[in-house]
Amino acid sequence: MLKRLSLLSSIFAVSKKEFIQLRRDWRFMFSLLFIPAILLILYGYALNFDVKNVSFGVIDFDRSEISRDFVNSLRVSEYFKLKDYFYDYKEGFSFLQRGEISFLLVIPEGFKRSMERMENISIQCFIDGSNSNKGTIVLGYLNAYVNYFNHKFLKKEFFGVSLRIYYNQKLKTTNFLIPGLIGFILMITTVLSTSLSVVREKERKTLEQLYVTPLSSLEFSIGKILPYIVISLLATLIIILFSKFLFGIDIRGSYSLLFLSTCLYISCTLLMGFLISTIAETQRTAFLLAILTSLLPSILLSGFIFPIENMPKIIQFITYFVPARYYIKSIRYIVLKGASLCSFSYEILSLLIFSFLLLILILRRMRLGLK
Amino acid sequence: MRKILFIIVKELIQLRRDRMMFPLLFIAPILQLIILGYVANIDVKNVKIGIFDFDSSFMSRELVRDFTSSEYFVEKSYSRDFKEIDKLIEKGEVSMALIIPKGFERRLSSGNPVNVQIIIDGTDATVATIAMNYSSQILTKFYIRSFSKSFPSKFNGIRLESRVLYNPELKGSHFMVPAVITLLLTLIIGVLSSMAIVRERENGTLEQLIVTPIKPQHFILGKIAPFVLIGYLDITLIIIVAIYWFKVPVKGSIPLLYLFSGFYILYTVGIGIFLSTISKTQQQAMITAMFFIFLPSILLSGFIFPVENMPRIIKFFTNFVPLKFFLEIVRGIFLKGSGFKELYDEAFFIFLWGIAVLSFSLLRFRKKL
């Protein structure tokens, strides 16, 4: 009993010291609190995959009423924007090459005649595929549009689809990306904030001084991380408020679940930064390690942007080691779907295990350092 | 010239001493490239679909088969319990549900209108949009087929004959792999070169160097040269991996790519020196680099997120991210086979940025000395 009390009080003492130091460096503290919010505002507006206003060109060899009709109804949809009519292929292709249009429609001569005689006819379409994602979506829209035009022209209404979309009715990609962005921002700010902490002391050779204190490495590490957890939680609160009021993202699920998963995630990432700090010998290796283990994986391997199910098996396996993966899934489920704990209990458990493993690794590194 | 060489040698020795630096400079880029190349696909395939067939007739089964036999959809559940739909979608076990009503076959064969219901999980809007388009294509084809059985007619309406240019298979890796070059140049040269100068200041060795007969410009050149060298080595490495591993076609000229990379390197070196003049500690240099250069370079350059979708104000800011122009150059040369004529504007812009930033920061650096 007595021992446990002393453990708590010494953790508390380390935290207090760290807090005082942080308060002195108010610029650092300020940036820890507000940089996440600034990043969210800037990138929340910037990031989306919505395919809208895709500009296109037309070569119309038919120049009939019906061909103009076809182009016009394409043009009034919010997806496409007519750049210009061209008169020959060469001109059209040069626009395509310079990226000024994303696709080029070629309506053949005799379009009107075939339509009237009910003969099959094809329209040529050249799509700029260099951006593969955009290309895929544009191609899908075009096909769907042509289907729609056929239906309208044939006036056959036998078959309809009634479509219902759950959770994100307007299909705005922002709603999907912002929860991911929150996970990403928290990752980089927390990992960066702790990754340089120990290594700096190492470079200045003040780490030895800490080793001679009666603190155990467990007390030292937990005590050092605790203040960062508090500050990062505050920062999370700020970002979530911003995403609610600026981006209109409502939290459908429970706040306590959100709090729980955020706490677990933050401790996980802070511990990661701490581990990096005990491994690296200089600040610049620490920085590069932090980028390689936090920044890039949490963009690429977390499901933030690229769906994990589409990745090759080996890379899917690697994603299990990216804590952002678990958090981003849970925050999306909580915020967008209002899901209950059983839908992402596995993710929460993984974050917990992850934190424990990291703590054990850190303690081992610190003990090694002592010798 | 010899003085510059001295500094270069000193710098390389220092780099070698840091055990982790070497793998970070050469293995990390390759690793990044390979991961990005495989990951960067928003191809929508194997969308998990739940089937609710209340008709279970010959025709409804045929429609189900049309869905499940396409490469876009995988059947994950089959049931007749309406209540299950919500649960399945909430848990993420299916992302789309196809509901075929009772009397589907009867109505269709007697020429009456019939509705099929589709429910989509909209959380990931991109996947939802694409899945929606695929299903409407499948439905239309089914409709035309079953319709022509009962009312034979040759007319199918307009057919879209689409050809995808520059990246015919719409491969994500072809789009992303060339872009990694640009990201690495920014990271390695910008960040490392700035830290190299700040470190000397932190350790107090900058003053020692000033009293030697080495002039500031020699010092800067010698400091930066190893990183330019490393940058070019990394470019070469990546081009090799891109061509031989990912089979990304290089349609344009590689010498042109090297030339324009040189312009971009001018800019990153300038930024490196600029950072070193405004930061006192390595930590400051790193954090400034991270938030003012690295993140905008990834997120605002069109590296992943298309610039044309951004709001006007942010679009304006992207002009201050020269990586945007460099990306257009690199992707243009790799995929479109663009030459000097098409890329002239972008190259000129980067060149201007490079000269401006470099001369400004050199002036600042001299004043500081």
Side-chain angles (χ1 to χ4, degrees):
Chain A
M1 189 64 207
L2 203 81
K3 186 127 198 263
R4 194 176 296 161
L5 212 98
S6 74
L7 178 84
L8 273 180
S9 65
S10 51
I11 286 179
F12 210 68
V14 178
S15 300
K16 205 171 147 192
K17 169 214 145 238
E18 197 69 21
F19 242 133
I20 294 173
Q21 256 183 348
L22 269 175
R23 224 179 44 203
R24 254 185 231 151
D25 191 356
W26 64 269
R27 253 202 290 189
F28 186 56
M29 178 114 153
F30 183 82
S31 51
L32 275 184
L33 268 177
F34 291 104
I35 278 188
I38 295 168
L39 291 178
L40 182 81
I41 295 174
L42 179 59
Y43 297 121
Y45 282 114
L47 306 192
N48 69 79
F49 282 124
D50 298 344
V51 175
K52 258 192 235 153
N53 295 326
V54 176
S55 47
F56 69 102
V58 177
I59 305 177
D60 186 354
F61 288 119
D62 197 45
R63 280 178 227 154
S64 62
E65 220 169 283
I66 190 162
S67 73
R68 259 194 304 275
D69 210 38
F70 182 81
V71 174
N72 270 339
S73 48
L74 202 62
R75 183 179 166 176
V76 294
S77 78
E78 56 173 342
Y79 305 118
F80 303 118
K81 199 173 68 192
L82 179 65
K83 177 94 183 173
D84 215 345
Y85 275 98
F86 303 113
Y87 296 100
D88 55 28
Y89 281 96
K90 209 179 144 202
E91 200 188 353
F93 277 120
S94 78
F95 270 72
L96 207 56
Q97 169 122 43
R98 268 178 283 147
E100 287 185 40
I101 55 175
S102 302
F103 65 92
L104 179 68
L105 276 179
V106 184
I107 301 176
E109 217 181 319
F111 180 72
K112 183 182 172 206
R113 202 184 50 225
S114 320
M115 286 301 269
E116 281 167 356
R117 288 190 194 159
M118 305 285 263
E119 285 166 2
N120 290 337
I121 181 135
S122 34
I123 286 180
Q124 263 186 320
C125 173
F126 300 93
I127 298 176
D128 177 354
S130 55
N131 183 340
S132 48
N133 303 321
K134 196 170 153 189
T136 314
I137 298 179
V138 167
L139 191 62
Y141 275 134
L142 274 175
N143 273 318
Y145 170 72
V146 170
N147 281 334
Y148 167 75
F149 187 83
N150 282 338
H151 266 267
K152 223 177 58 181
F153 185 79
L154 296 168
K155 296 201 176 59
K156 286 172 186 164
E157 298 286 340
F158 289 99
F159 200 85
V161 190
S162 72
L163 187 72
R164 257 171 65 203
I165 297 167
Y166 278 18
Y167 309 124
N168 181 7
Q169 269 84 1
K170 287 185 186 155
L171 286 180
K172 275 169 67 183
T173 44
T174 323
N175 291 351
F176 178 66
L177 288 171
I178 283 197
L181 188 62
I182 291 176
F184 168 67
I185 290 172
L186 285 179
M187 177 71 138
I188 49 174
T189 47
T190 49
V191 170
L192 265 186
S193 68
T194 45
S195 69
L196 299 176
S197 61
V198 178
V199 83
R200 205 170 14 169
E201 310 219 11
K202 235 188 252 175
E203 273 192 340
R204 290 185 189 151
K205 314 272 180 231
T206 49
L207 196 62
E208 281 81 2
Q209 290 173 16
L210 280 169
Y211 284 145
V212 293
T213 58
L215 288 169
S216 75
S217 39
L218 180 73
E219 293 159 348
F220 176 68
S221 356
I222 294 187
K224 224 171 150 75
I225 280 175
L226 217 53
Y228 289 102
I229 293 187
V230 176
I231 295 176
S232 308
L233 273 178
L234 278 177
T236 317
L237 185 70
I238 298 173
I239 329 184
I240 285 175
L241 286 178
F242 269 94
S243 59
K244 187 167 175 165
F245 292 112
L246 279 179
F247 297 103
I249 288 173
D250 283 324
I251 295 158
R252 288 178 209 220
S254 83
Y255 282 82
S256 49
L257 277 180
L258 189 61
F259 179 74
L260 171 75
S261 48
T262 308
C263 275
L264 281 175
Y265 178 60
I266 288 175
S267 19
C268 207
T269 52
L270 285 169
L271 284 169
M272 242 176 91
F274 204 75
L275 183 66
I276 289 170
S277 205
T278 57
I279 291 171
E281 284 157 16
T282 58
Q283 287 189 54
R284 59 176 174 180
T285 28
F287 184 64
L288 272 183
L289 269 175
I291 286 185
L292 285 174
T293 54
S294 73
L295 180 77
L296 289 171
S298 57
I299 288 188
L300 302 174
L301 300 176
S302 64
F304 167 33
I305 299 172
F306 306 109
I308 293 173
E309 304 95 78
N310 290 357
M311 298 173 189
K313 281 274 173 309
I314 309 170
I315 292 178
Q316 282 196 20
F317 177 73
I318 301 174
T319 63
Y320 288 112
F321 299 95
V322 180
R325 173 205 159 123
Y326 305 110
Y327 182 64
I328 289 177
K329 182 171 174 197
S330 359
I331 190 175
R332 270 182 191 149
Y333 271 53
I334 297 169
V335 171
L336 297 174
K337 293 190 169 181
S340 55
L341 184 64
C342 67
S343 306
F344 54 91
S345 49
Y346 164 72
E347 275 72 22
I348 298 284
L349 196 70
S350 310
L351 281 178
L352 201 67
I353 293 171
F354 224 102
S355 310
F356 267 111
L357 284 180
L358 282 170
L359 193 62
I360 290 169
L361 279 176
I362 290 170
L363 293 181
R364 283 198 53 186
R365 285 294 312 182
M366 302 270 287
R367 231 163 268 151
L368 281 178
L370 269 177
K371 285 169 194 165
Chain B
M1 197 57 215
R2 259 197 31 199
K3 286 175 193 159
I4 299 176
L5 213 68
F6 282 140
I7 303 264
I8 295 178
V9 171
K10 167 197 152 276
E11 226 21 58
L12 285 177
I13 291 175
Q14 257 179 344
L15 265 182
R16 244 192 35 203
R17 243 185 240 156
D18 194 340
R19 269 187 300 140
M20 275 179 184
M21 214 54 197
F22 203 71
L24 281 180
L25 286 181
F26 292 102
I27 297 172
I30 297 292
L31 222 70
Q32 258 181 55
L33 181 68
I34 289 181
I35 289 180
L36 248 173
Y38 280 117
V39 159
N41 256 323
I42 312 193
D43 280 2
V44 180
K45 267 181 204 154
N46 303 329
V47 175
K48 290 174 281 183
I49 177 174
I51 308 274
F52 296 82
D53 182 358
F54 292 101
D55 197 43
S56 61
S57 57
F58 178 73
M59 273 179 126
S60 74
R61 270 194 296 270
E62 202 177 355
L63 178 62
V64 169
R65 206 177 317 125
D66 279 1
F67 268 88
T68 50
S69 64
S70 76
E71 56 175 340
Y72 311 125
F73 300 103
V74 200
E75 183 181 328
K76 270 285 139 93
S77 96
Y78 182 95
S79 110
R80 290 215 193 122
D81 186 3
F82 220 75
K83 271 176 271 167
E84 249 184 64
I85 299 178
D86 288 16
K87 220 168 61 199
L88 284 172
I89 290 190
E90 188 201 291
K91 282 196 169 175
E93 279 173 33
V94 302
S95 347
M96 195 180 113
L98 172 72
I99 301 154
I100 304 174
K102 215 169 165 45
F104 175 79
E105 188 178 51
R106 206 189 52 225
R107 295 188 71 111
L108 201 65
S109 43
S110 62
N112 281 318
V114 62
N115 253 344
V116 169
Q117 200 182 12
I118 283 178
I119 296 179
I120 291 188
D121 177 353
T123 343
D124 187 342
T126 314
V127 172
T129 314
I130 297 176
M132 230 161 68
N133 288 333
Y134 286 151
S135 7
S136 95
Q137 276 171 50
I138 292 177
L139 282 170
T140 315
K141 267 187 205 142
F142 175 81
Y143 156 65
I144 287 173
R145 216 176 53 215
S146 55
F147 187 74
S148 61
K149 258 183 222 157
S150 31
F151 307 93
S153 146
K154 275 190 184 157
F155 184 56
N156 293 331
I158 306 167
R159 209 167 63 88
L160 191 71
E161 205 178 86
S162 45
R163 251 182 64 202
V164 178
L165 301 175
Y166 311 128
N167 181 5
E169 290 160 69
L170 287 171
K171 273 193 178 164
S173 60
H174 289 191
F175 182 58
M176 292 310 264
V177 166
V180 176
I181 296 178
T182 65
L183 196 66
L184 283 172
L185 276 186
T186 319
L187 169 69
I188 292 177
I189 303 182
V191 176
L192 293 184
S193 61
S194 70
M195 286 202 284
I197 295 172
V198 180
R199 201 188 44 204
E200 305 253 2
R201 184 176 297 143
E202 254 191 328
N203 297 344
T205 46
L206 195 61
E207 282 80 8
Q208 289 173 19
L209 277 169
I210 291 170
V211 292
T212 60
I214 292 167
K215 291 204 179 99
Q217 58 267 38
H218 293 157
F219 170 71
I220 294 263
L221 272 177
K223 268 289 196 194
I224 300 294
F227 294 110
V228 176
L229 198 75
I230 290 169
Y232 267 117
L233 273 177
D234 273 333
I235 294 181
T236 314
L237 216 60
I238 292 174
I239 292 179
I240 291 172
V241 176
I243 295 175
Y244 292 102
W245 182 281
F246 285 106
K247 312 266 187 261
V248 181
V250 189
K251 300 211 179 107
S253 92
I254 289 195
L256 196 68
L257 184 65
Y258 275 92
L259 174 71
F260 287 161
S261 305
F263 292 172
Y264 188 68
I265 288 174
L266 271 186
Y267 160 77
T268 41
V269 167
I271 284 286
I273 301 171
F274 179 69
L275 279 179
S276 73
T277 59
I278 58 166
S279 359
K280 287 201 195 78
T281 60
Q282 286 185 64
Q283 193 186 13
Q284 266 181 22
M286 287 179 228
I287 288 180
T288 330
M290 179 76 153
F291 292 116
F292 289 94
I293 292 162
F294 207 55
L295 278 183
S297 295
I298 293 182
L299 300 175
L300 297 182
S301 62
F303 179 61
I304 300 174
F305 294 94
V307 175
E308 66 260 28
N309 286 4
M310 297 176 188
R312 239 163 237 281
I313 311 172
I314 292 174
K315 227 189 246 179
F316 173 74
F317 281 123
T318 61
N319 289 326
F320 298 94
V321 183
L323 185 62
K324 180 178 105 173
F325 304 102
F326 190 46
L327 265 173
E328 271 165 41
I329 289 179
V330 172
R331 283 182 176 144
I333 290 180
F334 261 92
L335 298 175
K336 297 188 177 177
S338 306
F340 193 78
K341 210 173 67 199
E342 286 89 6
L343 301 171
Y344 174 79
D345 284 346
E346 281 84 4
F348 185 66
F349 212 77
I350 294 177
F351 190 67
L352 273 188
W353 258 110
I355 296 290
V357 172
L358 194 64
S359 43
F360 178 70
S361 47
L362 277 180
L363 272 176
R364 258 191 80 101
F365 185 71
R366 286 198 118 162
K367 239 189 226 160
K368 280 231 146 177
L369 281 184

